[in-house]
Amino acid sequence: MEPQFCLLCGARLTKIQIESHLHFECSKCDYIHWLNSRPCVDAIIAREGAILFTQRGVEPHKGDWDLPGGFLELGEAPIAGLHREIAEELGARIEILKFIGHYVDGYGDDPYIKTLNCSYLCKLLSPVRFTDDDVVGYDWFPVDNLPPNIAFAHFKKVFEDCYEDIVAAS
Ligand SMILES: [Zn+2]
């Protein structure tokens, strides 16, 4: 949703371009509302050529298949955030095997929310005990036979970039 009002004084914000990037500035005070991609983490938990997906219980893309993970908290390191998300969503522990890459993506239809996803290849160290938080279920899908309704577009690039690792995972 387009930012409307100044967080400091409540006056209307107006769109501005700074070095070709879109931001918003207050019409009354000096406040600038910077727009940045939001940092997120993804776990590619692989086993025998298959990937563990969670089913989203919330919008956007409610019901679609997601990777375990989520938004980082203020000041949180990506690896700490990934362990926290896996504990919250699945009640499980993981080993992080490898950093795969950074991927920019959208978040639903909102043009003012973009995500910067740090994606890690992982191994499950303990069984999934429950699904909770923003997740209503989970399942394993072979990397060569993924479900059609995958929540976020960058996942396909992630899987390409670590395809050999997924296929070789024990
Ligand atoms: Zn203001």
Side-chain angles (χ1 to χ4, degrees), residues 6 8-11 26 28-29 31:
C6 176
L8 299 184
C9 77
C26 180
K28 281 210 175 134
C29 75
Y31 179 74

